[in-house]
Each structure stands twice: as C-alpha cells, then as structure tokens.
C-alpha cells in the first residue's frame, strides 16, 4: 500500500473519532464505536483484532449493505424488565470467537442497538465462514429468547443519528483504501511477472497489448486513489461503487497475466483474486449505496466567479447561435470576436500582455461550462487559439510578433491555429513530420503538408512545426509564425467531419512558401519540446471536456438502469482531473497523469454516451438532441492532442520505470 493511501487511512481513523454526535445517544455511540467496536473492519483486515472489538450487525438501510450483513431481529418487553430478543443476524464480520455482538433490533416503532455478551443465554454463533482477506470471517448469529437489560441498550437509532451514518461512511472509505492497496500490490506483481516471463524470442512485456492493459489498470488505480483522497463521508457511496468494480476487475485481469499459475494457491495473486472479488460485498450492495455525494471539494471564489461569468456569456452570446453554426459547419468572425470580448481568448495570457492571467483550474471551469452543452466544435476552435497559439506567442514571441499577432488576437481581430499533424501521422510526431524549412537569404522556404489543422480554413496566421535539421530528429525542428496570405500557402481541402462540425478544419500545403527570417518563433531547432509542452494543457482540457460532456449526457438520460455506475465513474474522473489541474498550476504534477486522464476520460464519456443512448432508445439519435451531437463528437476526443494508444505508451513508460526496461515502448 503506498504512503498516500496509508495517510488517508490515518486521516479516516481520526475522522471516525470526531464524527459522533453530541448528547446521551451520541455519547453511547461514541463509547461503543470508539472503545469497543473501535475499527473492527480495519483491524481485521490488518490482521490485528483488538481485545475489545465487537461483531456488529446493523441493517441494510443503515449501512447500505456494508459487509453484506442482513438483520432480522425483533424485541418485545420482558415481564421482569428489559427486552426479549429473537431473530437472526447473518453474515456478520467477526473479530474473534469471544467478542460481544452489537445488533440492531426492532422494538415496536423503536430501533435500538443492543450489546449481547458472547456466550450469553439465548445467543449462539451458528456458522462461521472464513473468506480470505487476512483472516476475515463472517458468522451467522441466532437469538432465541435472549434477555437484554436496559443497561445493554447502547443507543436508540430510531432517527438514524448522523454520527452513526458518518461512522458507516468512513468505514466504507477505509475498506476502499484497503482495496486500492490490494490493487496496487496486484499491479506491481503483474508488472514484475510480465517483465520476467519469457515469450517467444523476448519477454511477455514486449507485447503492446500487454503494456496497454497494464497501463489501463494503473491509470484507473490513480483515478480511484484521487477520488478517495478528495472524498468526504457523503461521497462514500460514489467511492464504493467505483472502487469495488475497479478492484474486482483490475485484480482479476492482473491474475490473467499469470496464466495457469494465477490459479495455483502457491501464488499470492490467486488469493488476491479471491479477496478482490469479496471487496464489492464488503463495500455494500450497489442498489443500496447512497450516491448523492458531490464527489469534489468546493472551488475557490475566483474560479467560481469566473465560472459564473462564462455561464452567463455562453447563454447570452453563444448558445442562441450554436445551432446555426453547426448547420453551417463554420464559426464566423463574430464568434471569435465574441470570445475575445468575453475574455475567453486570453484567459491564460498574462495581464501585462492584455490577458486575464488565470489558472488551469479557471480554464477547466470554462471548458466544463462549455461542454455542459456539448459544443465541442466551438470549444475546439477557441482552445486551439487560446491554449496553444497564444501561450506560445507570449512565451517565445519577439515584441514585434506580440504586437503583430498576440495583441490583435486578444482583441478578436485575428484567428489562428497550430499546425503540427501531417497526413503521414499525428501522434508519432518525431517520425511523421516531413514538412521542411530551408534558409534562403533573408527568408525561410517551407515545403510540405499539414492535415487536421483546426481553424486553418479561416485563420489569419498559423504556428507551424517543421524540420529545419532533418538529420537531428526531435532536435532539428523549429516553430514559425506563418501568415496564411503568404505566397505558397494554400488550403488544399476543407475537411468534412462526422463531428465537431462548426470547427473549421483544414488540410494545408506549403509550396516554396517564403516567409521572413523573423517569422521564427523561439530558438531554432528547439520547436519540438516547446510545442509538445503545450500539448499537456490541451490534453488535460480534452479530459475535462470529455467528463463534462458525459455528465451532461447522463443527466439528460434520467435514472435509467446502470447509469448510476457511469455517474460515479464520471465523478472519479473529475477528482483525478482536478487534482492534476491543481498540480499543473503549482508546477508539481506528473506527465503520465495527464496522459492517463486523457485516455481514461475519453473512454468514460464514450461509455456514458452509449449507455444513455441505450436508455433513451432511437430518439437519442434525433440530430437535434444532445446525445446525438455528443455521439458524433466523442470519437475525435480519443485522437485530439495524442491518441489513446500513445497516451497508454506514455503512462506505461512511467509505470515501468525502475523495472530494467529501456523505455515504455522499447523492450528488446
């Protein structure tokens, strides 16, 4: 289990002790759940049961099916005082054979928690079932004429005290943390195994499919961990739904990497498989989980204010025109002027240069608001300019370039795009880029083609990545600012796309295109790392757009069967993405987390759209519906700013670091 999960467990333990309500009933719950019950599930899973631990049997409506326990126990007044209790408590987690039982009973309209000593008259432990997880076992208690004195009534829970609900929620979060620790250990074991296992002339890890499967498991683990770290007790149901499925599926897949050995008891992974299958039962029945948590902490006042500003701007200036723009498959100049007037074009440009100087969390909020309406085409055209071109100009541009291109763009007078992808490929930039620039006196001469270039058909200028030293690979590429009015520049074709229709996309050609020497943007032969660094911003915002789109689509589908799991997964994705955005703002983040967020969230939104469409039926594909537009647009999210396959390669390279491999994609 990693240090972050361990720290979260410590935090949750402290939270349980501070979660009890005040007053007499609260004092009793505090005493029992702190001193006697303590943390029975956690101590059991850790293999160190406390001497005063108790077996606890609370009904499904109190626990949401936590542990799978079912309780059917009734009490009637005893002639001599106290109560007489009869019934059955099944599948109760056991700390040991001598622990007392805390059981929920129904006494007319009242619901009580009573304490019955082990071996007490009328109480018997009918059956014990070991289930793995380091000695955890479940038992079935029968109660026949069991007498309970008033002093054994621990608490009246008729009104379901908030403290008890919070203790249950925190216990659920603890179990989720244990599950993630199990998943992390299984992933590490699987990675070691595929690195060591011979396969053909090499090793099993040589297979791209294996690397990508491991990357997916590892990325989902990072996502679930981010959700757990950010969770409050109210979010426990969301965490349980995501974690229960993720661990059960992830550990099972890790077991598959071992082949037949994965089902031999001599291998630890086989016990992990059994334990992981039990985890969803421990976390509670999916149909009983409370999924009303928000899943994310409150944002800052600055981000919230900017979000409100964007929402109002979209409602007034953009959304009334979106249908016409989609039909025309174009964004007219007034759209870019409106973006600039609303401050959206320059939200990432410093104030000293005419922008708003806002953070990535602000940018994320802006994209969320846009994609709540599934306007990917419009968002794509705006972000290509606002998050790729203008930051490069601000960072690398000369004063002349800023005056000529940056400031007019911020005023909405110019439209731009970034031209990197070529017809021969997009994600493999090092191998795919063929366009060249050759010095000729006071000019550079460009030759080649670029494809899938956002805004190219309507752009006034483009930032272009080309080879200036073809013999030096990524250390021989440079960036240039190219006016689209330059001789030798042409739009070969305006691409007819399935989705993102209103974003104009072009296939462009440079034929002996002469541009002045001062069109060079930044140092010569340093263009590749400078351009690809900006792709990180684009990738994380693609992830935000995917999740916001998924959330909107699921909301439009109502409460269809199976959609709750999709919603929980979306909230887990948001927790991961927001943590990454905060890290980017602080300058402390992992590149592989950006890659993981990109490919995970795209797949989350594609699953959400498919689920919503199945629920809504054929009406979902009316061209004017949100689902139909999202269905057309979502496919391209897996390609924007790097394909999902490339993102898996990036993540696996980090996952395999220290395993003796040369890189994530080269395993000779």
């Amino acid at each position: 289990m990693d240090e972050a999960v361990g720290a979260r467990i410590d935090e949750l333990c402290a939270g349980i002790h501070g979660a009890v309500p005040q007053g007499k009933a609260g004092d009793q719950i505090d005493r029992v759940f702190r001193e006697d019950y303590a943390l029975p599930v956690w101590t059991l899973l850790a293999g160190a049961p406390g001497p005063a631990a108790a077996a606890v049997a609370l009904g499904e409506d109190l626990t949401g099916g936590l542990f799978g326990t079912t309780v059917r126990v009734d009490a009637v007044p005893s002639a001599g005082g106290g109560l007489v209790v009869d019934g059955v408590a099944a599948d109760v987690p056991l700390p040991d054979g001598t622990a007392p039982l805390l059981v929920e009973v129904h006494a007319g309209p009242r619901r009580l928690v009573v304490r019955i000593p082990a071996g007490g008259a009328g109480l018997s432990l009918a059956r014990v079932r070991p289930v793995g997880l380091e000695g955890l076992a479940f038992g079935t208690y029968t109660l026949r004429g069991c007498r309970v004195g008033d002093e054994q009534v621990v608490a009246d829970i008729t009104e379901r005290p908030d403290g008890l609900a919070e203790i249950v929620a925190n216990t659920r979060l603890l179990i989720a943390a244990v599950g993630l620790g199990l998943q992390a250990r299984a992933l590490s074991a699987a990675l070691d195994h595929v690195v060591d296992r011979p396969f053909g002339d090499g090793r099993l890890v040589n297979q791209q499919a294996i690397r990508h499967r491991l990357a997916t498991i590892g990325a989902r683990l990072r996502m679930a961990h981010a959700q757990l770290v950010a969770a409050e007790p109210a979010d426990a149901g969301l965490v349980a739904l995501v974690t229960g499925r993720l661990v059960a599926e992830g550990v099972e897949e890790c077991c598959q990497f071992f082949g037949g050995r994965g089902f031999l008891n001599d291998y630890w992974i086989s016990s992990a498989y059994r334990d992981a299958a039990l985890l969803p039962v421990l976390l509670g029945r999916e149909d009983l989980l409370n999924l009303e948590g928000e899943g994310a902490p409150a944002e800052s006042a600055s981000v919230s204010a900017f979000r409100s500003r964007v929402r109002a701007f979209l409602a007034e200036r953009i959304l009334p025109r979106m249908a016409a723009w989609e039909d025309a498959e174009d964004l007219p100049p007034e759209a870019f002027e409106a973006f600039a007037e609303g401050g959206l074009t320059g939200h990432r440009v410093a104030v000293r240069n005419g922008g708003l100087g806002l953070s990535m969390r602000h940018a994320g909020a802006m994209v969320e608001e846009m994609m709540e309406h599934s306007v990917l085409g419009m968002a794509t055209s705006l972000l290509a300019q606002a998050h790729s071109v203008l930051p490069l100009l601000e960072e690398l541009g000369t004063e002349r370039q800023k005056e000529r291109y940056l400031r007019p763009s911020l005023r909405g007078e110019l439209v731009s795009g970034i031209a990197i992808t070529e017809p021969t490929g997009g994600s493999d930039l090092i191998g795919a880029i063929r366009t060249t620039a050759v010095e000729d006196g006071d000019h550079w001469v460009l030759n080649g083609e670029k494809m899938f270039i956002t805004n190219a058909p309507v752009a006034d200028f483009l930032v272009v990545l080309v080879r200036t030293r073809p013999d030096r690979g990524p250390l021989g590429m440079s960036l240039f600012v190219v006016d689209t009015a330059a001789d030798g520049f042409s739009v070969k074709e305006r691409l007819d796309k399935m989705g993102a229709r209103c974003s104009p996309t072009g296939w462009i050609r440079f034929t002996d295109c002469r541009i002045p020497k001062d069109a060079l943007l930044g140092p010569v032969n340093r263009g590749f790392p400078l351009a690809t660094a900006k792709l990180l911003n684009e990738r994380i915002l693609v992830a935000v757009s995917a999740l916001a789109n998924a959330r909107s689509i699921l909301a439009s589908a109502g409460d269809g069967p199976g959609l709750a799991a999709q919603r929980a997964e979306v909230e887990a994705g948001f927790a991961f993405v927001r943590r990454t955005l905060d890290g980017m703002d602080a300058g402390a983040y992992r590149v592989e987390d950006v890659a993981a967020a990109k490919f995970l969230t795209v797949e989350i939104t594609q699953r959400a759209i498919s689920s919503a469409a199945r629920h809504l039926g054929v009406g979902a594909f009316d061209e004017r519906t949100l689902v139909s537009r999202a269905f057309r647009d979502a496919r391209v999210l897996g390609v924007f700013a790097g394909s999902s396959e490339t993102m898996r390669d990036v993540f696996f390279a980090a996952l395999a670091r220290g395993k003796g491999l040369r890189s994530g994609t080269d395993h000779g």
Side-chain angles (χ1 to χ4, degrees):
M1 188 180 302
D2 65 26
E3 292 181 4
V5 173
R8 182 58 173 155
I9 288 173
D10 292 340
E11 178 186 340
L12 290 168
C13 291
I16 288 178
H17 290 176
V20 296
Q22 300 302 310
K24 183 178 180 181
D27 290 342
Q28 290 174 319
I29 292 173
D30 187 10
R31 176 176 59 81
V32 172
F33 284 86
R34 186 188 300 194
E35 299 174 10
D36 295 335
Y37 179 37
L39 298 172
V41 175
W42 167 240
T43 54
L44 279 168
L45 298 179
V56 181
L58 302 176
E60 290 176 343
D61 54 344
L62 278 175
T63 66
L66 189 69
F67 318 132
T69 302
T70 57
V71 180
R72 296 181 297 278
V73 180
D74 295 311
V76 296
S78 170
L83 301 168
V84 178
V85 179
D86 290 280
V88 177
D91 295 327
V92 182
L94 303 174
D96 58 45
T98 63
L101 173 68
L102 296 178
V103 62
E104 176 190 352
V105 302
H106 292 251
R110 300 174 66 203
R111 299 170 65 188
L112 311 171
V113 174
V114 301
R115 176 187 177 88
I116 304 174
L123 175 66
S124 62
L125 183 56
R127 180 175 56 178
V128 177
R129 292 188 292 189
V131 292
L133 276 176
E134 301 188 37
L136 178 63
F138 286 83
T140 296
Y141 287 89
T142 59
L143 302 93
R144 295 287 183 268
C146 191
R147 294 185 178 275
V148 174
D150 291 340
E151 74 281 1
Q152 292 173 261
V153 177
V154 173
D156 187 331
I157 57 173
T158 305
E159 302 300 325
R160 298 181 64 184
D162 291 342
L164 181 58
E166 191 160 349
I167 288 170
V168 169
N170 275 326
T171 302
R172 184 169 272 120
L173 292 174
L174 285 168
I175 297 170
V178 171
L180 293 184
L182 176 66
Q183 172 67 88
R185 186 178 172 191
L187 177 61
S188 179
L191 184 57
D192 288 340
H193 181 74
V194 301
V195 168
D196 293 338
R197 180 180 172 183
F199 186 85
D201 295 331
R203 291 170 287 171
L204 187 58
V205 75
N206 290 28
Q207 305 301 305
Q208 185 184 60
I210 297 294
R211 299 195 301 270
H212 284 186
R213 286 166 65 191
L214 286 166
T216 299
I217 295 168
R220 293 183 72 199
L221 177 62
R222 291 262 180 103
M223 178 182 74
H225 176 242
Q227 184 187 35
L228 176 65
V229 168
E232 299 294 336
D235 305 319
L238 292 170
V239 171
L241 188 53
V242 170
T243 299
R245 291 189 171 198
L246 179 150
V247 174
E249 295 168 3
V251 175
E252 178 182 7
E253 187 152 15
C254 287
C255 189
Q256 293 289 337
F257 293 121
F258 287 80
R261 294 176 177 82
F263 296 92
L264 297 177
N265 287 332
D266 289 342
Y267 284 76
W268 170 82
I269 195 69
S270 66
S271 63
Y273 172 76
R274 295 193 302 273
D275 294 348
L278 173 65
L279 186 73
V281 176
L282 291 176
L283 288 168
R285 280 174 45 187
E286 289 190 357
D287 60 317
L288 297 176
L289 293 175
N290 178 3
L291 303 177
E292 296 178 358
E294 294 184 1
E299 59 193 10
S300 70
S302 173
V303 173
S304 181
F306 182 65
R307 181 188 294 277
S308 297
R309 171 179 170 177
V310 171
R311 184 180 299 140
F313 168 77
L314 291 173
E316 178 183 354
R317 301 289 302 276
I318 301 299
L319 296 178
R321 299 170 174 82
M322 274 305 306
W325 294 344
E326 283 281 310
D327 287 344
E329 299 187 12
D330 195 16
L331 277 181
E334 56 263 31
F336 293 93
E337 293 168 5
F339 297 150
E341 291 169 12
L344 306 191
T345 303
H347 63 280
R348 290 286 290 155
V349 174
V351 173
R352 66 179 181 275
N353 288 317
L356 298 180
L358 300 179
S359 69
M360 286 297 294
R361 276 299 293 267
H362 288 86
M366 181 183 79
V367 173
E368 281 186 53
E369 291 301 316
M370 290 179 178
M371 293 308 299
E372 285 290 329
H373 306 284
S374 195
V375 290
L376 182 64
M378 181 270 288
T380 298
S381 281
L382 169 61
L383 294 177
Q385 179 159 328
H387 271 272
S388 295
V389 175
L390 301 191
L392 282 170
L393 280 170
E394 180 181 35
E395 178 183 346
L396 306 173
T398 63
E399 187 54 37
R400 174 194 170 279
Q401 288 171 333
K402 291 178 181 178
E403 191 63 33
R404 171 70 181 86
Y405 300 107
L406 176 61
R407 295 183 181 94
S409 297
L410 293 173
R411 295 192 296 267
E413 297 168 3
L414 297 177
V415 177
S416 62
I418 184 164
I420 296 179
T421 305
E422 302 205 358
T424 53
S427 296
D428 178 21
L429 297 179
I430 295 175
I433 291 182
R434 308 285 177 81
T435 301
T436 60
V438 177
E439 289 186 83
D440 183 16
D442 293 334
H443 289 77
W444 291 90
V445 180
L446 277 61
N447 281 282
E449 296 183 354
K450 298 285 183 179
M451 194 172 185
F452 304 116
I453 309 305
T454 299
N455 294 339
V458 298
D460 298 290
F461 69 95
L462 297 170
V463 171
V464 185
L465 180 65
V466 302
R467 291 191 184 275
T468 42
R469 284 287 304 274
D471 59 323
R472 296 187 62 193
L475 299 180
M477 299 185 193
S478 304
L479 289 168
F480 293 91
V481 185
V482 180
D483 287 314
T484 56
D487 291 339
F489 173 87
S490 63
V491 177
K492 180 178 179 180
E493 183 180 342
R494 184 175 183 137
L495 300 177
D496 184 12
K497 309 185 303 297
M498 176 178 69
R501 289 180 175 174
C502 74
S503 177
T505 308
W507 182 351
I508 61 176
R509 175 180 289 166
F510 302 97
T511 307
D512 293 330
C513 179
R514 296 179 66 82
I515 58 175
K517 273 289 186 66
D518 62 5
L520 178 68
L521 181 62
V524 69
N525 297 324
R526 289 285 298 157
F528 180 81
L530 295 169
T532 53
K534 298 305 177 187
L535 285 177
L536 294 177
N537 292 351
E538 188 176 349
R539 286 169 183 166
I540 198 66
L541 292 179
V542 169
V544 175
S545 67
L547 292 172
N549 200 13
R551 178 188 278 168
S552 178
I553 295 304
L554 291 171
S556 72
D559 297 320
L563 296 185
Q566 299 285 350
R567 292 190 178 94
E569 192 175 36
V570 167
E571 296 311 317
F574 266 122
F576 185 33
V577 166
R578 286 170 178 148
R579 186 178 73 171
T580 305
L581 285 169
D582 288 341
M584 295 175 81
D585 283 329
Y589 66 97
R590 293 179 290 198
V591 170
E592 68 267 23
D593 281 354
V594 177
K598 168 73 165 57
F599 75 77
L600 279 181
T601 56
V602 168
E603 291 163 10
I604 287 172
T605 196
Q606 289 172 342
R607 284 194 293 271
I609 292 168
S610 295
S611 297
R614 285 195 298 271
H615 175 64
L616 294 172
V618 70
F621 293 95
D622 182 314
E623 283 295 299
R624 291 293 181 179
T625 66
L626 201 64
V627 176
S628 179
R629 186 161 66 244
F631 181 82
R632 288 189 277 104
D633 290 350
R635 177 64 187 87
V636 77
L637 293 174
V639 179
F640 275 171
S643 69
S644 292
E645 290 74 14
T646 301
M647 297 301 98
R648 281 183 169 84
D649 285 335
V650 171
F651 187 83
F652 184 81
L655 188 66
R657 196 173 293 133
K659 298 292 183 181
L661 306 178
R662 291 197 295 273
S663 75
T665 56
D666 181 12
H667 310 286

